Amino acid sequence: MIEYIDEAPSLEEYKEMRRAVNFMILSDRIASNALNNAFHITTVRDNGRAIGMIRVLSDGSYANFITDVMVIPEYQHKGIGTQMMKRTVDYMYSTLEKGETIVLYLMSAIGRENFYKQFGFRERPNEVWGAGMSQWITK
Ligand SMILES: CC(C)(COP(=O)(O)OP(=O)(O)OC[C@H]1O[C@@H](n2cnc3c(N)ncnc32)[C@H](O)[C@@H]1OP(=O)(O)O)[C@@H](O)C(=O)NCCC(=O)NCCS
């Protein structure tokens, strides 16, 4: 049974899901802070097993960054990623009062842009906005 639970996965589950989708390996300290300090996390479970997740990082109000959108390979292409995104955008919408506006950011993986467009995201750069920019820093 597939369930969407608005709670963080365990550290081990998080590391295992990241491994399964070939995301960068994180130190335990970095990974557990990432879970503990997120604004909103949904974990998808199949009979208890963590098979997908999504996180929102936020100032608690205006600026919100969606990251760690992942569904492990054996569960991909079943609509789970779509549900996670829909639920997350709906949740962020539910934080608004009438007349208010907030922003949702995310960085698409190469080739996933169309997946995100269906939830209202626009590619950058465009005629109005410059490129999103990022860097990794390592010590
Ligand atoms: C991106 C990701 C989260 C999408 O998760 P998902 O559960 O496969 O997403 P969905 O099943 O909702 O949609 C994926 C595709 O399957 C299709 N699909 C949805 N339900 C389907 C079904 N029942 N049968 C067949 N195909 C289906 C969708 O139309 C979609 O097609 P598209 O690739 O042309 O957009 C997943 O591929 C993933 O974890 N990838 C690796 C990590 C990654 O790159 N994350 C994104 C970082 S930005």
Side-chain angles (χ1 to χ4, degrees):
M1 185 183 54
I2 302 280
E3 290 176 295
Y4 295 79
I5 300 165
D6 293 337
E7 280 174 12
S10 71
L11 177 61
E12 282 313 312
E13 289 172 327
Y14 180 47
K15 287 164 59 182
E16 184 53 41
M17 285 190 278
R18 288 186 64 97
R19 256 195 301 274
V21 297
N22 292 318
F23 278 4
M24 183 187 296
I25 292 172
L26 305 175
S27 73
D28 282 3
R29 187 181 77 90
I30 295 287
S32 80
N33 285 342
L35 294 175
N36 292 336
N37 298 331
F39 177 67
H40 190 259
I41 303 184
T42 299
T43 304
V44 186
R45 295 185 180 279
D46 182 19
N47 292 318
R49 179 186 178 202
I51 56 102
M53 69 173 283
I54 185 167
R55 295 197 296 138
V56 183
L57 317 182
S58 178
D59 58 15
S61 182
Y62 171 59
N64 304 280
F65 185 83
I66 297 177
T67 189
D68 280 339
V69 184
M70 50 184 161
V71 174
I72 65 172
E74 61 198 283
Y75 285 87
Q76 290 175 6
H77 299 287
K78 297 172 188 290
I80 294 171
T82 301
Q83 278 309 311
M84 293 194 315
M85 280 298 301
K86 273 195 185 140
R87 286 173 53 99
T88 300
V89 173
D90 285 353
Y91 172 73
M92 295 313 298
Y93 184 80
S94 79
T95 67
L96 290 175
E97 292 180 9
K98 197 160 170 51
E100 293 179 336
T101 299
I102 59 174
V103 62
L104 307 181
Y105 298 108
L106 62 77
M107 295 285 182
S108 176
I110 288 176
R112 298 306 312 175
E113 293 82 358
N114 284 339
F115 174 73
Y116 293 114
K117 277 184 192 167
Q118 60 183 310
F119 310 107
F121 290 85
R122 289 183 59 191
E123 280 178 72
R124 305 177 66 145
N126 56 40
E127 63 286 358
V128 184
W129 303 316
M133 298 176 71
S134 61
Q135 68 168 313
W136 274 267
I137 56 173
T138 304
K139 191 170 179 180

